[in-house]
């Protein structure tokens, strides 16, 4: 089977979890090259996907993935998938004559997944409509010339479907290890001590337990109002820290190591509510509300970069660039690296009125609002010498304070509005939005 489509930003699934851009416009080609089946009903599929992507951070380039899927490998209706992926994006804005590839983004990695159509928790769990997924993966990435990472991740997920619309997912163990490969001179100039760099770019060790609840009735087109609610709860390293405390280590001692890496200790909660209201045959109102928080304690001052919140961009507040807002009212023209625009608290609201124009072309009017904040004022955990080094090393006029305060909350909400076009014809989906900050 061969498919070609111009995919929407909503459909685009960036293969880099920690990248600053999670959307783009491009052409996707998908081709199933091999399909074999043996006498034991074990099929083997090979699939190739290639993309040519223009991303919203002015990067352009190809990415590709090759997937091998073996069904019924263990004769238990299982599916084993191996996926190799790679990408190279040229930075169109920050080309340097002496080293033109310095600010490009490239990555490669592999992902292994084994899926069983039941929960592997004993015979008692077989009566439930569930599944089990074991996963292991590796990713190497150079991010826009700023820094590089090696990421190793793996774990097990169990999920149960409760009726037509409800799904519960639980992971008793999911581990993510991120090793910082290098940081650019721009990030490290005049930075003379480790603690400062740890605030922005650091190795990460996240041994987590997570649960999610999902209710989604969007496939039921007979309803006048469709609703999707997702609740995600995640904790990291609290069991490890508790064991260490029982062995005599101070629970609030920072930079304790596990296998030579400082482990990240936090609890994270995120809620997302989406609704679609059919006002009449020609008008549809789509709304979205998202709220989240990461509470770091014990071994950690703040959340790791991969778990922090960001805001802005085509899937967020569309009048602003990705990761360009907050925390609070922080903004600096001299140094706008996205590592400063992350936070521990996030609030985002979106509303979009959709209507037909002609044929398969639809229009939209939208408004977006939100921001991110930090839990703790940097002045509370940085010494005067460290604050001075931050201001000098990163060329900042003042150290931001992005904590939530009642008297400044409304003034710190970023607002954007705009209009858009939607073309949806069979396998072709195109979305174009023009946003203006208010």
């Amino acid at each position: 089977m061969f498919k070609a489509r111009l995919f929407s930003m909503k459909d685009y699934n960036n293969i880099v979890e920690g990248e600053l851009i999670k959307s783009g416009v491009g052409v996707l080609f998908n081709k199933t090259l091999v399909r074999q089946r043996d006498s034991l009903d074990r099929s083997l599929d090979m699939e190739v996907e290639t993309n040519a992507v223009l991303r919203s951070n002015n990067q352009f380039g190809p990415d590709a993935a090759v997937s091998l899927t073996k069904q019924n490998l263990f004769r238990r209706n299982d599916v084993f998938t191996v996926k190799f992926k790679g990408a190279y994006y040229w930075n169109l804005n920050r080309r340097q004559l002496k080293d033109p590839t310095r600010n490009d983004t490239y990555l490669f990695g592999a992902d292994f997944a084994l899926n069983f159509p039941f929960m592997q928790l004993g015979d008692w769990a077989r009566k439930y409509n569930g599944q089990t997924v074991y996963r292991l993966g590796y990713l190497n990435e150079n991010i826009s010339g700023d820094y590089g990472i090696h990421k190793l991740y793996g774990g097990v997920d169990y999920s149960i479907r409760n009726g037509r619309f409800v799904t519960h997912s639980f992971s008793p163990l999911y581990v993510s290890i991120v090793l910082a490969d290098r940081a650019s001179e721009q990030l490290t100039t005049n930075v003379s001590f480790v603690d400062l760099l740890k605030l922005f770019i650091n190795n990460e060790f996240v041994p987590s337990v997570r649960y999610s609840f999902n209710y989604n009735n969007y496939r039921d087109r007979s309803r006048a109002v469709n609703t999707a609610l997702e609740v995600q709860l995640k904790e990291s390293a609290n069991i490890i820290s508790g064991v260490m405390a029982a062995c005599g280590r101070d629970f609030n001692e920072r930079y304790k190591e596990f296998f030579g890496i400082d482990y990240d200790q936090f609890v994270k909660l995120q809620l997302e509510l989406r609704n679609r209201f059919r006002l009449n045959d020609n008008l549809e109102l789509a709304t979205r509300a998202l709220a989240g928080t990461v509470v770091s304690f014990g071994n950690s001052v703040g959340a790791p970069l991969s778990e922090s919140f960001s805001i802005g961009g085509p899937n967020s507040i569309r009048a602003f660039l990705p990761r360009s807002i907050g925390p609070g009212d922080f903004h600096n023209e001299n140094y706008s690296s996205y590592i400063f625009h992350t936070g521990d608290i996030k609030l985002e609201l979106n509303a979009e009125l959709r209507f037909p124009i002609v044929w398969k072309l639809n229009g939209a009017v939208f408004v977006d609002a939100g921001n991110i904040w930090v839990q703790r004022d940097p002045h509370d955990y940085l010494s005067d010498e460290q604050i001075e080094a931050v201001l000098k090393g990163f060329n900042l006029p003042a150290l931001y304070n992005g904590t939530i305060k009642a008297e400044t909350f409304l003034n710190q909400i970023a607002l954007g509005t705009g209009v858009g076009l939607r073309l949806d014809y069979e396998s072709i989906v195109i979305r174009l939005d023009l946003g203006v900050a208010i």
Side-chain angles (χ1 to χ4, degrees), residues 376-390:
R376 301 179 60 190
D377 185 343
H379 292 85
D380 293 340
Y381 56 86
L382 290 179
S383 66
D384 293 339
E385 293 77 11
Q386 289 176 323
I387 292 175
E388 182 180 354
V390 170

Side-chain angles (χ1 to χ4, degrees), residues 87-239:
Y88 195 101
Y89 302 111
W90 289 278
N91 194 312
L92 304 180
N93 283 348
R94 297 166 58 191
R95 311 300 292 175
Q96 298 186 16
L97 295 178
K98 294 183 179 180
D99 188 3
T101 65
R102 178 176 179 178
N103 295 319
D104 294 342
T105 292
Y106 58 85
L107 60 94
F108 59 88
D111 184 271
F112 304 85
L114 179 60
N115 188 316
F116 292 92
F118 52 87
M119 291 195 300
Q120 287 195 314
L121 293 173
D123 293 337
W124 66 270
R126 296 296 181 91
K127 61 182 179 181
Y128 296 103
N129 181 16
Q131 67 174 359
T132 304
V133 179
Y134 300 95
R135 186 175 299 278
L136 179 66
Y138 168 77
L139 178 70
N140 177 275
E141 179 186 14
N142 171 77
I143 302 177
S144 301
D146 286 338
Y147 68 98
I149 63 169
H150 299 274
K151 180 176 181 178
L152 181 67
Y153 58 90
V156 57
D157 284 289
Y158 301 101
S159 62
I160 301 176
R161 291 192 62 87
N162 184 8
R164 295 175 56 195
F165 307 127
V166 176
T167 302
H168 301 270
S169 298
F170 173 68
S171 177
L173 179 62
Y174 192 91
V175 177
S176 173
I177 300 174
V178 176
L179 302 178
D181 187 32
R182 65 175 181 82
S184 70
E185 294 179 3
Q186 182 187 21
L187 293 178
T188 57
T189 301
N190 298 326
V191 179
S192 58
F193 50 88
V194 176
D195 284 347
L196 174 58
L197 199 58
K198 281 184 177 181
L199 297 176
F200 307 109
I201 300 173
N202 190 26
N203 296 334
E204 299 178 9
F205 177 46
V206 182
S208 63
V209 178
R210 56 190 188 181
Y211 165 80
S212 67
F213 168 86
N214 188 288
Y215 173 87
N216 191 326
N217 64 21
Y218 264 61
R219 290 188 177 183
D220 188 353
R221 302 289 297 184
S222 64
R223 295 172 179 256
V225 179
N226 290 114
T227 300
L229 172 64
E230 184 175 16
V231 181
Q232 299 181 25
L233 179 62
K234 184 176 186 178
E235 73 83 25
S236 173
N238 291 292
I239 296 176

Side-chain angles (χ1 to χ4, degrees), residues 51-100:
N51 298 280
V53 178
L54 176 62
R55 315 175 89 192
S56 51
N57 61 340
N58 290 314
Q59 290 188 340
F60 173 79
D63 60 59
V66 178
S67 299
L68 299 173
T69 301
K70 184 72 173 180
Q71 298 187 16
N72 210 22
L73 178 63
F74 298 99
R75 303 185 65 180
R76 305 184 72 181
N77 294 321
D78 53 275
V79 178
F80 178 66
T81 303
V82 180
K83 186 173 184 179
F84 301 96
K85 51 197 175 184
Y88 195 101
Y89 302 111
W90 289 278
N91 194 312
L92 304 180
N93 283 348
R94 297 166 58 191
R95 311 300 292 175
Q96 298 186 16
L97 295 178
K98 294 183 179 180
D99 188 3

Side-chain angles (χ1 to χ4, degrees), residues 199-356:
L199 297 176
F200 307 109
I201 300 173
N202 190 26
N203 296 334
E204 299 178 9
F205 177 46
V206 182
S208 63
V209 178
R210 56 190 188 181
Y211 165 80
S212 67
F213 168 86
N214 188 288
Y215 173 87
N216 191 326
N217 64 21
Y218 264 61
R219 290 188 177 183
D220 188 353
R221 302 289 297 184
S222 64
R223 295 172 179 256
V225 179
N226 290 114
T227 300
L229 172 64
E230 184 175 16
V231 181
Q232 299 181 25
L233 179 62
K234 184 176 186 178
E235 73 83 25
S236 173
N238 291 292
I239 296 176
I240 293 177
S241 192
V243 172
M244 287 190 171
C247 295
R249 299 290 296 272
D250 186 353
F251 185 85
N252 294 315
E253 177 187 347
R254 293 179 186 149
Y255 307 136
K256 297 189 293 290
E257 294 184 349
F258 193 79
F259 290 111
I261 306 176
D262 296 349
Y263 59 83
D264 297 283
Q265 188 176 357
F266 60 85
V267 173
K268 183 177 184 179
L269 176 64
Q270 180 172 303
L271 299 92
E272 182 177 11
L273 175 65
R274 292 184 291 119
N275 285 290
R276 181 173 59 196
F277 303 89
R278 290 183 181 82
L279 306 180
N280 55 44
D281 292 340
N282 294 318
L283 283 179
E284 183 178 278
L285 177 64
T287 63
R288 173 175 174 265
L290 186 148
T293 182
V294 185
V295 180
S296 301
F297 49 88
N299 206 48
S300 301
V301 173
L305 193 61
S306 63
E307 298 290 342
S308 299
F309 294 107
S310 62
I311 199 167
N315 290 326
S316 179
I317 303 181
R318 286 162 278 191
F320 296 84
L321 292 175
R323 296 203 181 198
S324 63
I325 304 172
D329 57 4
F330 171 73
H331 179 73
N332 178 254
E333 294 290 347
N334 296 326
Y335 198 89
S336 59
S337 174
Y338 79 93
I339 63 172
F340 285 103
H341 299 292
T342 59
D344 308 311
I345 302 171
K346 180 176 181 177
L347 177 63
E348 184 177 324
L349 303 171
N350 313 92
E352 181 174 292
L353 183 66
R354 301 165 181 168
F355 49 88

